[in-house]
Amino acid sequence: FYDKMENVYKECGNKGPTYIVGDLNARIQKGEQDENSIGPYTFDKHSTTLAYQNPETLINRKNLICFCESNNLKLMNTMFQKPPEKLMTYADPHANGTRPPWCRKNPDLSNRYETIDYVIAQDRWTNSVRDCETDIYANLESDHYPLHSTIRIN
């Protein structure tokens, strides 16, 4: 997947502002100091689940970060300070509806939420993204919440 995305990005990436938006199935938390593509505002950032993620999830995380770092891209969801319910983009189908607590995993496995959908922008165009948040109350039949971004290009 990331090889294909890399090829498409290389074809389009130098022709003006380029944004990548979608379900990238990577759980991001601020981890290493040198992960410059991740901003300070990650969902449930005090959770220690990074150490307990399964190997496939860790590979997705690593691939997304490597893709962003090698192409000088930023994960815009992580650049805006928002309440947790505006940062999460996915609810486990077995979660108890859309209600707090907004965290990755409770001891009873209820209310499992996550951020796996992202808006990615080139570093030189990050100022064009004015806002990025989810709408957990959108009237949609999906386990993903719509991700809204405001982009302004002068």
Side-chain angles (χ1 to χ4, degrees), residues 114-134:
E114 194 55 75
T115 301
I116 58 176
D117 305 323
Y118 297 95
V119 174
I120 302 172
Q122 295 161 307
D123 185 47
R124 69 181 206 193
W125 292 99
T126 55
N127 288 338
S128 68
V129 181
R130 304 294 184 163
D131 194 24
C132 189
E133 66 181 29
T134 56

Side-chain angles (χ1 to χ4, degrees), residues 7-19 122 124-125 153:
N7 290 336
V8 170
Y9 179 75
K10 293 291 182 198
E11 288 177 25
C12 304
N14 292 325
K15 297 179 178 151
T18 302
Y19 304 93
Q122 295 161 307
R124 69 181 206 193
W125 292 99
I153 301 171

Side-chain angles (χ1 to χ4, degrees), residues 72-113:
N72 207 19
L73 302 169
K74 302 289 184 187
L75 296 167
M76 297 310 297
N77 308 42
T78 66
M79 301 296 171
F80 299 96
Q81 186 172 13
K82 300 282 181 180
E85 65 272 19
K86 296 286 186 177
L87 292 171
M88 61 191 194
T89 64
Y90 169 81
D92 187 301
H94 306 308
N96 290 335
T98 303
R99 61 186 175 159
W102 313 114
C103 57
R104 285 189 159 85
K105 190 173 188 180
N106 286 334
D108 65 357
L109 299 179
S110 66
N111 294 335
R112 278 190 53 181
Y113 301 103

